[in-house]
Amino acid sequence: MKRTIILLLITNCVFSANAQEKIIIGKDTLVNQSRVNVKPLYKQLIVPGVLVGYGVLGFVNAGVKDVNVAIKSEVSEHVDKQISTDDYTRYLPVVSVYALNVAGIKGKHNYRDLTIITATSSLIMVGSVMGLKSLCKVERPDGSTDNSFPSGHTATAFVGAEILWQEYKDVSPWYGFAGYIVATGTGMLRIYNDRHWLTDVAAGAGIGILSTKLAYILHPFIQKQLFGSSEEKKVSVLAMPFYNGQQAGLSAVIKI
């Protein structure tokens, strides 16, 4: 009798587990919440990896170099006046994330976590961009300086675009698409203004996306180090981007 009861209990557990994983019935479905569909890490790195890889090809591949030169020649031939809009559009995606939160359209994270992710993404991005600029010393298309590779404006824009995508893709993917359109436009303006080669912009976009993905991966660890594993504390966060004509950044005040 005991064996029969035990067997029935085990059978019931097996069928319950299968039901949790396979049955989906509207809003009342009981599913196994421990199983989360997360895209494998290597798949997340494909797009930024391809973009950075194309940028690097500009150093060694004659065909890619020819494309850079051809685009520059086309721009020089048809552009009469430069447009400084890219100095502002690079910040538009990340500002939009905070604006949506203020408007009551909530993303995945609260203000505190969002600010930590934004700061982490920016630190990784700025460190990577500045390091590569100093190391590679690529001359800009207009010949003004030798810090063309990679594009910092484009990297900044794509950090914001990726954050916008990560925070709001489950609310509406159109928010993320809009962010990427703005970021792509920023990169195109850098080429239009004769400030960057196509490979600079491609690498900048890849670095921006990659930096943000790494920030999201690192966030649980950083959050634990900063606030511990205790129950979430009530915090107030005020974040404001700034630009004084020469320098730009993000100021944040966190009250715990």
Side-chain angles (χ1 to χ4, degrees), residues 92-93 96-97 100 105 160-183:
L92 187 56
S96 298
V97 178
L100 287 169
I105 305 173
E162 180 65 17
I163 292 175
L164 192 59
W165 170 257
Q166 293 292 341
E167 292 295 313
Y168 288 98
K169 63 183 178 182
D170 295 329
V171 177
S172 173
W174 290 107
Y175 291 118
F177 293 152
Y180 273 111
I181 289 172
V182 172

Side-chain angles (χ1 to χ4, degrees), residues 136-171:
C136 298
K137 296 187 181 301
V138 176
E139 186 179 35
R140 292 184 184 273
D142 61 4
S144 59
T145 59
D146 63 351
N147 60 349
S148 187
F149 182 90
S151 170
H153 280 62
T154 307
T156 300
F158 274 87
V159 163
E162 180 65 17
I163 292 175
L164 192 59
W165 170 257
Q166 293 292 341
E167 292 295 313
Y168 288 98
K169 63 183 178 182
D170 295 329
V171 177

Side-chain angles (χ1 to χ4, degrees), residues 201-214:
V201 169
I207 290 171
I209 297 171
L210 181 59
S211 298
T212 305
K213 289 186 180 296
L214 290 175

